[in-house]
Amino acid sequence: MQAEEIIISQAVKTLKVKQAMLDGSVFNDISFKNVKITNANMSDLEIEGAQLGGAYIHNIGMPPKGHPMYSPDAKQRPLRFEDCDLTGTTVTNCNLNSVTIDDCNIQGMTINGILVEDLLKTYRSNEHEQD
């Protein structure tokens, strides 16, 4: 496949793209409403100033066992979320091994139905009792 530069400026177009390499592309002031991306390498993707309400992000990580691209030695590099409003977000059946949550509003946040605030209060009171 030969690399080709295509510039689309102030156009309203619907594109159906299959097997494209968009490495290093920059999209500014665009609407990606109802876009679906499948089987994509989006390593080092940066999304800033976007409205993602209603987004459904799933099956993210390394290919599972049985997938043609599966490698038992492959490791997913960490994701980073900063300055995000995740109010009402649900995280289900995810590997949160070694996840760090710092300086966040956790009011109403639960883990398996238990308020995190209550867990922290219990932890802190037990910590003081041991001193």
Side-chain angles (χ1 to χ4, degrees), residues 106-118:
I106 58 164
Q107 184 177 5
M109 180 179 169
T110 63
I111 297 176
N112 295 336
I114 303 168
L115 281 170
V116 173
E117 291 171 294
D118 292 346

Side-chain angles (χ1 to χ4, degrees), residues 20-33:
M21 184 180 295
L22 299 174
D23 294 1
S25 295
V26 176
F27 300 94
N28 185 30
D29 196 22
I30 58 167
S31 172
F32 268 3
K33 189 173 149 189

